[in-house]
């Protein structure tokens, strides 16, 4: 009889504990939805000789940046992908995950840095290292925003 009472008490405690967890999950979900509101959308285009890059950036309420980028570089397969990152001061540090051409089975990921000057974004050049399958800018090495190919100007976003 004591074992049955103990079992019922244990079962009740587990039930009440799981109810509390559901309340916490609902609060976290509500906070996540509130933090996930787009504050602004901006579109950019960069032209260099026969190259064209289209960039759409979504600025989120929590400070993160997401977007889409399409790179059409002369004599290279087209690159289509997503960027995600954040501004640190006036520089957007982002990761570009993309596919080349129509081959969707393999994705690539590169770090990118964009300097914001007024309404313009400048794609910087920096030394990149690879470690454990990931690429990143070398810490302590400067990113060059002066001698660059791609300077993005604002354009109207296409629906």
């Amino acid at each position: 009889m004591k074992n049955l009472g103990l079992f019922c008490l244990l079962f009740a405690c587990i039930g009440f504990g799981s109810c509390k967890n559901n309340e916490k999950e609902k609060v976290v979900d509500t906070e996540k939805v509130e933090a996930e509101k787009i504050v602004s959308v901006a579109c950019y285009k960069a032209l260099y000789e026969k190259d064209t890059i289209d960039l759409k950036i979504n600025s989120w309420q929590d400070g993160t940046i997401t977007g889409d980028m399409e790179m059409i570089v002369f004599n290279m397969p087209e690159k289509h992908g997503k960027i995600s990152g954040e501004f640190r001061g006036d520089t957007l540090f982002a990761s570009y995950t993309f596919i080349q051409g129509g081959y969707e089975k393999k994705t690539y990921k590169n770090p990118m840095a964009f300097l914001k000057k007024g309404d313009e974004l400048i794609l910087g050049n920096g030394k990149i290292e690879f470690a454990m399958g990931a690429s990143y800018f070398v810490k302590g090495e400067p990113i060059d925003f002066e001698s660059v190919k791609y300077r993005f100007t604002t354009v109207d976003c296409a629906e």
Side-chain angles (χ1 to χ4, degrees):
M1 194 66 159
K2 282 186 178 182
N3 287 340
L4 181 61
L6 207 55
F7 178 72
C8 289
L9 182 62
L10 179 63
F11 187 70
C13 288
I14 291 172
F16 288 130
S18 66
C19 288
K20 290 285 186 188
N21 287 342
N22 286 340
E23 285 179 19
K24 288 179 185 175
E25 288 176 14
K26 288 177 185 175
V27 170
V28 169
D29 287 344
T30 304
E31 290 173 358
K32 201 181 266 189
V33 169
E34 288 176 3
E36 293 180 0
K37 291 182 181 175
I38 294 177
V39 175
S40 66
V41 176
C43 295
Y44 297 89
K45 183 180 282 285
L47 301 170
Y48 179 78
E49 294 176 355
K50 295 181 180 181
D51 303 347
T52 303
I53 303 176
D54 291 308
L55 175 63
K56 180 179 180 182
I57 293 179
N58 303 311
S59 299
W60 295 84
Q61 198 169 22
D62 64 358
T64 59
I65 302 294
T66 61
D68 301 304
M69 188 160 68
E70 178 180 307
M71 298 179 78
I72 302 171
V73 179
F74 184 67
N75 281 337
M76 297 280 293
E78 289 185 21
K79 297 175 184 174
H80 303 276
K82 306 272 184 198
I83 68 161
S84 63
E86 65 183 3
F87 272 99
R88 292 187 213 140
D90 59 357
T91 306
L92 169 60
F93 289 94
S95 178
Y96 180 43
T97 306
F98 62 96
I99 59 168
Q100 283 192 167
Y103 189 67
E104 295 183 11
K105 291 185 178 182
K106 184 166 184 167
T107 59
Y108 301 90
K109 193 171 188 176
N110 285 338
M112 298 189 127
F114 300 88
L115 178 65
K116 185 162 179 67
K117 278 191 174 179
D119 289 340
E120 186 178 60
L121 285 177
I122 302 167
L123 178 60
N125 297 317
K127 189 173 182 182
I128 296 176
E129 284 186 341
F130 298 92
M132 298 182 63
S135 57
Y136 56 91
F137 288 112
V138 176
K139 206 171 211 170
E141 291 285 327
I143 298 172
D144 178 23
F145 293 103
E146 295 299 320
S147 55
V148 296
K149 290 183 185 179
Y150 303 112
R151 293 178 179 271
F152 293 81
T153 56
T154 57
V155 295
D156 291 333
C157 292
E159 291 295 322

